[in-house]
Amino acid sequence: MRRQIKSGENPAGSSRALRLDPLSLPVSFDAHDVRADGGVRNVELHHERVVLRRAVQGMRMAIQVRVSDFRGIALRGIDDAQMLVLLHRDPSLTVPLCVSSDRDEIASAWQTWSDIFSLPQLPEDKACEPGARRRRSNVICSRRPKFLMRRRGGGSLDASNVHRGEREIIARN
């Protein structure tokens, strides 16, 4: 049986008391989502994946993302507190992990989450930078060019067309 933390009336993103324990994964909680119906989405955190469940205009969906697809654990400053988030390229897939005004607690949680997920710690200035562009593998690069496809390949030579040991050259008039 897995452990679950359900927040009561306040969604996890809007409450200042969000503290998830990284040592008790998997964990399930509700987070704030402006696009979802009711403004709430359900988040399941596992060691190797994150599952986001929400409903948009009555259509329910579940999005499963590998933890390795996230950029890192980012620190964000909000009004009088700081928040740790699991940062993704797509801002709608970013997951809140911890909100606290205690700097020592945030620092220890930041290190723990980073170690658990094997992701880098991203300070506020690094979290805003776009990620490195991925190189796409080109499927066509190993194929022959188009103009060479029209030509016949140099297969094996027919032995009857090869003349060896002849001295005379025949020319047509």
Side-chain angles (χ1 to χ4, degrees):
M1 184 169 174
R2 60 183 168 168
R3 298 180 190 185
Q4 293 185 351
I5 298 174
K6 289 284 187 181
S7 57
E9 300 170 10
N10 295 334
S14 66
S15 173
R16 295 275 190 238
L18 175 66
R19 287 182 188 92
L20 299 176
D21 185 15
L23 302 176
S24 65
L25 293 178
V27 64
S28 177
F29 63 96
D30 292 334
H32 179 69
D33 188 357
V34 292
R35 294 189 207 170
D37 295 347
V40 176
R41 68 177 170 186
N42 181 271
V43 179
E44 290 181 24
L45 278 175
H46 300 266
H47 284 285
E48 65 280 346
R49 71 182 183 279
V50 176
V51 181
L52 304 166
R53 298 179 197 282
R54 67 181 184 174
V56 177
Q57 296 179 355
M59 185 173 64
R60 296 183 336 181
M61 64 180 78
I63 302 168
Q64 183 171 334
V65 184
R66 292 180 308 200
V67 170
S68 60
D69 292 340
F70 286 88
R71 290 182 52 205
I73 309 297
L75 180 65
R76 291 187 175 167
I78 50 178
D79 301 335
D80 58 341
Q82 290 182 328
M83 178 168 61
L84 285 179
V85 294
L86 188 56
L87 188 67
H88 195 270
R89 280 177 202 259
D90 183 1
S92 64
L93 298 179
T94 297
V95 177
L97 298 173
C98 179
V99 176
S100 179
S101 58
D102 184 15
R103 291 189 180 273
D104 294 333
E105 180 184 2
I106 286 288
S108 66
W110 196 9
Q111 182 64 46
T112 307
W113 281 111
S114 179
D115 292 342
I116 292 285
F117 288 140
S118 300
L119 292 173
Q121 296 178 359
L122 302 172
E124 287 184 62
D125 54 346
K126 290 281 187 180
C128 296
E129 294 177 3
R133 186 170 178 215
R134 289 188 332 200
R135 286 188 64 123
R136 295 186 307 173
S137 60
N138 192 353
V139 179
I140 302 174
C141 71
S142 61
R143 255 183 20 197
R144 293 177 67 188
K146 187 176 179 180
F147 76 95
L148 288 178
M149 293 296 283
R150 288 180 277 180
R151 298 180 181 175
R152 218 176 347 160
S156 62
L157 295 174
D158 188 15
S160 64
N161 289 338
V162 177
H163 302 285
R164 292 193 177 103
E166 297 181 10
R167 292 185 168 197
E168 57 185 73
I169 298 175
I170 300 173
R172 295 188 184 142
N173 293 342

